[in-house]
Amino acid sequence: MNVQLHGRHPLVDQIVEGIKQQIDERHLRPGGRVPSIRGFAETHKVSRFTVVEAYDRLVALGYLESRRGSGFYATSRRNGEAALKDEERPRTADLVWLIRRLLTQRDGVALAGAPWIPSDWLDEAGMRRALRALSREKQILDFGDPRGHAPLRSQLELMLAELDIPVSSSQILLTEGTSQALDLIMRRLLRPGDTALVDDPGYYNLFGNLRQHGVRLAGVPRGPDGPDTATLERLARQHQPKVYFTQSVMQNPTGTAMSPHVAFRVLQIAERCGFMVVEDDVCCDLDGPGPRLATLDRLNRVIYVRSFSKTLAGSLRVGFIACRGDLAAELLDLKMLTSITSSQLAERLVHAALVDGHYRKSLTRLRERIRLARERAVLALERAGMELFVEPKAGMFLWARFGHIDDSLPLAEEALAEGVMLAPGTVFRPGLEPSPWMRFNVAMCEDPRLRALLERIASRA
């Protein structure tokens, strides 16, 4: 292929279009290996970073797949990606671009829209104690039980009982964070061309993963007390979905919680229309009020997903699925086929931290610190003239906008150039529709650069 170093089109676009054409015209067959990043860069006299960006976009578009330690290979265009309409493919690529550009950590940047709690807010001393205790145990290098570390599953059974979610350890499957949990559920319940219901706005990584599975998205508007149930039922009857993915409390990005009557109505609609509900409760330990769908449903139609990334350590990648016993067995088979097992070492470390006796105390301190930060962030955003979607009672996220701005994406681009990372609402929309809203992480809102930026924006109104 020919790459024009001084052509009118960006180098990344040239590489993407050139490889797409080779695959579409069958010059590069499914399974064929494309040149390595270094080899392509040297052959065409371009930067390796340029090639990395082009290959990443081609992976997002479904033209290439990355094989760890081996390189990049052309994919079969008859898989799940083929179920997407042509106009939907760039959206997936754009989502990957926006996440990388706007929602990843950069040195020296005020991370106002970040999705995580600062590591220095977490109990590092407790994790070090757990590490020391684990280092004295035997057989820490085994593959472990594919269902996950048995003592941890028993501990989770007790923790779920505190939420009045009836479950036995045999119904709990440990995973590598909620990401693997959601991916296993998609593989089991959905097929290319199916439609899934999702919150609008909702979790951007979930949307991208669903699209990679060839699943179409139908967004259910999220209100102050939960999803719009009238729209939920209309979409369910129209699309006959198999699954609705939602968060009942501390929803990302709005911070909202379902009221009891909305939660009850959601389960009624699921029963009437015959779909499953996947409840992502990743922020559970931050003490969100409100009923869990799994509590009301008793794990009949609800699949409950959770992890410890927000309160222990994001690097551990330990999560779990709790569901009906028959479904847990099927998900276990999928887990063994796709990853054999999860990290016993990480699971044993989480178990040691949970039973150490200090975890509940550290949670109390963390919740109080987040509460105070949330109060200060609410006051700061309101003083800057921003409108809050709701004022959450728990959790780390605020959803806010300026009344004179229709699309927050250009604003986020401008802020990034000034050293402030905002999270524009468009990445939280199922179809990447423009949005004036932005997500703020209350733990990150005291940086003077953010305060100054918001004041300047408000002055333009």
Side-chain angles (χ1 to χ4, degrees):
M1 60 178 290
N2 182 29
V3 177
Q4 298 179 5
L5 298 181
H6 304 290
R8 291 191 305 168
H9 300 291
L11 293 175
V12 171
D13 291 349
Q14 292 184 49
I15 297 170
V16 169
E17 291 305 316
I19 294 178
K20 282 172 59 178
Q21 183 177 356
Q22 289 182 354
I23 294 174
D24 288 338
E25 294 178 357
R26 312 291 284 178
H27 298 305
L28 185 58
R29 310 287 291 183
R33 189 174 187 272
V34 298
S36 68
I37 292 171
R38 176 177 294 178
F40 191 103
E42 292 176 350
T43 299
H44 296 279
K45 304 294 190 295
V46 296
S47 164
R48 280 184 289 171
F49 295 108
T50 299
V51 184
V52 168
E53 291 184 4
Y55 281 12
D56 280 350
R57 185 184 294 184
L58 286 161
V59 170
L61 290 169
Y63 279 86
L64 295 182
E65 64 174 335
S66 173
R67 301 179 187 175
R68 182 174 296 179
S70 178
F72 291 84
Y73 294 80
T75 62
S76 170
R77 302 285 289 158
R78 299 183 182 276
N79 288 333
E81 189 274 338
L84 301 178
K85 295 179 180 178
D86 288 340
E87 63 268 21
E88 290 177 323
R89 290 171 185 142
R91 292 179 182 175
T92 303
D94 289 342
L95 181 59
V96 173
W97 285 107
L98 288 167
I99 293 170
R100 181 187 299 116
R101 189 172 183 183
L102 298 168
L103 302 179
T104 56
Q105 185 170 352
R106 296 172 180 223
D107 292 337
V109 175
L111 305 173
W116 54 80
I117 292 173
S119 58
D120 59 359
W121 285 34
L122 302 178
D123 185 17
E124 183 174 345
M127 292 307 300
R128 290 185 182 278
R129 283 195 303 272
L131 276 168
R132 287 194 295 270
L134 184 61
S135 69
R136 293 190 289 269
E137 295 187 14
K138 298 179 180 179
Q139 295 180 328
I140 62 174
L141 302 181
D142 295 343
F143 269 93
D145 188 334
R147 293 170 297 180
H149 187 48
L152 177 54
R153 288 188 288 116
S154 297
Q155 181 67 23
L156 294 176
E157 181 181 346
L158 298 175
M159 295 176 69
L160 291 177
E162 294 178 4
L163 293 174
D164 195 20
I165 299 176
V167 65
S168 69
S169 60
S170 63
Q171 295 173 261
I172 297 173
L173 178 67
L174 299 187
T175 61
E176 294 179 352
T178 54
S179 296
Q180 187 189 34
L182 293 170
D183 186 71
L184 289 172
I185 292 167
M186 293 175 202
R187 290 173 183 269
R188 169 60 186 84
L189 298 182
L190 296 168
R191 295 292 179 269
D194 285 348
T195 296
L197 301 177
V198 296
D199 287 338
D200 181 10
Y203 180 40
Y204 49 82
N205 266 54
L206 169 69
F207 299 162
N209 200 356
L210 284 166
R211 289 189 181 281
Q212 288 302 299
H213 282 276
V215 176
R216 304 179 190 280
L217 311 183
V220 180
R222 186 83 182 198
D225 62 350
D228 180 336
T229 54
T231 303
L232 173 66
E233 184 158 16
R234 177 178 58 79
L235 291 173
R237 295 189 183 281
Q238 177 183 349
H239 297 288
Q240 298 182 332
K242 296 177 181 176
V243 189
Y244 172 36
F245 294 88
T246 189
Q247 292 177 301
S248 55
V249 298
M250 294 176 286
Q251 195 252 4
N252 181 8
T254 64
T256 57
M258 288 189 197
S259 63
H261 78 275
V262 168
F264 182 68
R265 179 88 173 121
V266 167
L267 294 175
Q268 281 185 320
I269 296 170
E271 182 70 27
R272 233 180 354 252
C273 297
F275 59 82
M276 302 289 288
V277 179
V278 177
E279 181 176 27
D280 181 353
D281 200 14
V282 67
C283 291
C284 176
D285 283 348
L286 298 183
D287 198 28
R292 266 57 174 187
L293 294 170
T295 301
L296 300 174
D297 176 73
R298 321 304 275 177
L299 296 181
N300 177 31
R301 286 195 173 273
V302 172
I303 304 170
Y304 183 82
V305 174
R306 183 166 149 192
S307 83
F308 298 94
S309 62
K310 304 298 184 189
T311 53
L312 277 179
S315 60
L316 286 176
R317 309 308 303 149
V318 175
F320 67 91
I321 301 170
C323 59
R324 291 193 323 250
D326 60 327
L327 183 56
E330 294 171 358
L331 292 171
L332 172 61
D333 290 344
L334 272 177
K335 178 185 174 182
M336 290 189 292
L337 286 172
T338 55
S339 62
I340 303 177
T341 187
S342 43
S343 171
Q344 180 193 203
L345 188 63
E347 291 165 0
R348 293 176 70 169
L349 182 56
V350 167
H351 177 255
L354 293 182
V355 301
D356 171 80
H358 293 81
Y359 182 60
R360 291 182 182 272
K361 295 178 182 178
S362 70
L363 276 184
T364 300
R365 292 192 298 269
L366 179 61
R367 291 167 180 171
E368 178 65 9
R369 191 169 186 178
I370 291 175
R371 183 187 67 81
L372 295 174
R374 189 171 58 249
E375 290 178 355
R376 292 191 296 268
V378 166
L379 184 61
L381 296 183
E382 289 181 339
R383 283 178 174 173
M386 299 194 75
E387 172 193 352
L388 291 176
F389 188 70
V390 296
E391 184 173 342
K393 297 179 181 179
M396 55 191 285
F397 296 130
L398 298 176
W399 191 236
R401 69 177 180 181
F402 285 104
H404 63 288
I405 291 177
D406 296 325
D407 184 2
S408 59
L409 180 57
L411 180 60
E413 297 276 10
E414 173 189 340
L416 195 60
E418 298 185 26
V420 178
M421 189 206 74
L422 301 176
T426 184
V427 302
F428 300 95
R429 303 291 308 277
L432 293 179
E433 299 90 347
S435 171
W437 296 93
M438 292 173 280
R439 184 187 71 185
F440 291 88
N441 182 332
V442 302
M444 307 286 195
C445 284
E446 298 191 6
D447 193 294
R449 290 171 294 177
L450 173 64
R451 302 288 180 91
L453 173 70
L454 296 181
E455 289 175 4
R456 288 199 302 274
I457 297 168
S459 68
R460 302 174 192 168

